[in-house]
Amino acid sequence: MPSQAPSFGGPVTLNVGGTLYATTLETLTRFPDSMLGAMFREGAALPPNSGSQGSNYYFIDRDGKAFRHILNFLRLGCLDLPRGYGETALLRAEADFYQIQPLLEALRELEVTQGTEVITAALFHADVDATPRLVHFSARRGPHHYELSAARVDTFRANIFCTDPICLGVLRARFGVAEGEGEGSPHFHLEWAPCPEGLPEVEYRRLGLQQLWVVGEAGEKREVVGTPGFLEEVLQVALEHGFRLDSVFPDPEDLLNSRSLRFVRH
């Protein structure tokens, strides 16, 4: 036969999804309008189940691991989750099942705080490489006079990686990266080739080349001609967002002609 219901002041054992918890009726009824408050209200509590070894407990078929935080909230009256806790969705579902409204409100506040949390520590890396090539083309020198000519074209390829999405967004906008292109990724790629003097524009377009322009805060556009111009823009954005220069490759003494810059923010 089941044992008698527990009295206030005495211990109560719960078996939640196979995990045992010991607490008191005072704790379980802290919020009278909750499911637990109604279940263990004085005079309404059902007698417990009997265990195989004579122990008595109340069985609740819910997540036993999450109930630890439910019980701590009942004891403390505030939400105290471990750093980096990643199961707030599960905990919210459990709080909804137990109908603990103050806990649901605390979880909503936590989710808002997490959504607006400012990212401090971050990594920012930019590298750039230039590949020269000789382009041959026919240049018109008169009505029936064409001459074979050549021009050197420098093609630049750059990769930007940044774990700060705000800083990354500023860089994407500055370098004119189309919206939706690589959206959600912490890095993007750029490729450009300034039009050299002597190369007709029609030949430049035929080769499928394009220039790189940056858009300033006032909306003005200016062309990025080579490595120094590109790294100068990168350096300016990095410093504006609180990064500090961590390493320069290959020559730390020649910052704007380097191939790689690494920034950190703590």
Side-chain angles (χ1 to χ4, degrees):
M1 294 293 292
S3 303
Q4 294 298 313
S7 60
F8 277 77
V12 180
T13 301
L14 302 179
N15 182 336
V16 184
T19 303
L20 296 178
Y21 291 93
T23 183
T24 66
L25 286 180
E26 287 84 355
T27 296
L28 293 172
T29 58
R30 178 168 189 150
F31 301 105
D33 293 336
S34 69
M35 189 203 80
L36 292 171
M39 180 178 174
F40 292 99
R41 186 179 301 123
E42 188 172 10
L46 296 173
N49 303 100
S50 296
S52 58
Q53 297 180 353
S55 59
N56 298 318
Y57 60 85
Y58 290 90
F59 180 74
I60 302 176
D61 189 17
R62 298 297 294 184
D63 190 281
K65 184 179 177 182
F67 191 76
R68 167 195 170 194
H69 305 296
I70 300 284
L71 192 56
N72 281 338
F73 186 83
L74 295 176
R75 288 167 173 161
L76 302 173
C78 63
L79 188 59
D80 185 18
L81 297 175
R83 185 179 181 86
Y85 182 74
E87 296 185 337
T88 52
L90 172 62
L91 185 56
R92 185 173 62 250
E94 295 300 297
D96 185 62
F97 172 79
Y98 293 110
Q99 283 298 293
I100 306 174
Q101 293 303 322
L103 177 54
L104 287 168
E105 292 171 9
L107 285 167
R108 278 192 289 269
E109 291 177 6
L110 175 66
E111 288 168 351
V112 169
T113 302
Q114 289 178 334
T116 57
E117 185 177 357
V118 177
I119 298 175
T120 53
L123 176 66
F124 179 4
H125 185 270
D127 64 72
V128 59
D129 188 42
T131 305
R133 63 168 168 159
L134 201 60
V135 175
H136 297 276
F137 59 93
S138 296
R140 186 175 182 180
R141 305 302 184 190
H144 304 287
H145 181 207
Y146 290 86
E147 184 180 282
L148 186 63
S149 189
R152 170 178 159 158
V153 176
D154 291 319
T155 301
F156 297 88
R157 295 177 179 85
N159 291 289
I160 290 180
F161 173 87
C162 185
T163 58
D164 178 357
I166 296 176
C167 180
L168 189 68
V170 170
L171 288 161
R172 290 169 63 90
R174 178 164 295 201
F175 289 116
V177 179
E179 289 188 15
E181 185 179 324
E183 201 73 34
S185 171
H187 62 85
F188 63 90
H189 173 77
L190 296 170
E191 183 172 330
W192 75 98
C195 185
E197 187 177 350
L199 180 66
E201 185 174 350
V202 64
E203 290 293 330
Y204 178 80
R205 300 300 174 195
R206 184 182 65 80
L207 292 168
L209 304 175
Q210 61 181 4
Q211 297 159 288
L212 179 64
W213 299 85
V214 295
V215 182
E217 293 182 357
E220 75 283 3
K221 292 180 67 176
R222 57 185 180 275
E223 185 182 3
V224 176
V225 177
T227 298
F230 170 75
L231 293 179
E232 188 174 359
E233 297 291 339
V234 166
L235 187 62
Q236 181 180 347
V237 174
L239 296 178
E240 287 174 353
H241 287 79
F243 287 89
R244 66 172 181 81
L245 188 60
D246 183 59
S247 66
V248 179
F249 178 82
D251 184 5
E253 301 298 322
D254 194 7
L255 178 64
L256 294 182
N257 284 301
S258 62
R259 291 176 52 193
S260 176
L261 298 181
R262 184 177 184 272
F263 304 87
V264 294
R265 188 179 66 199
H266 298 293

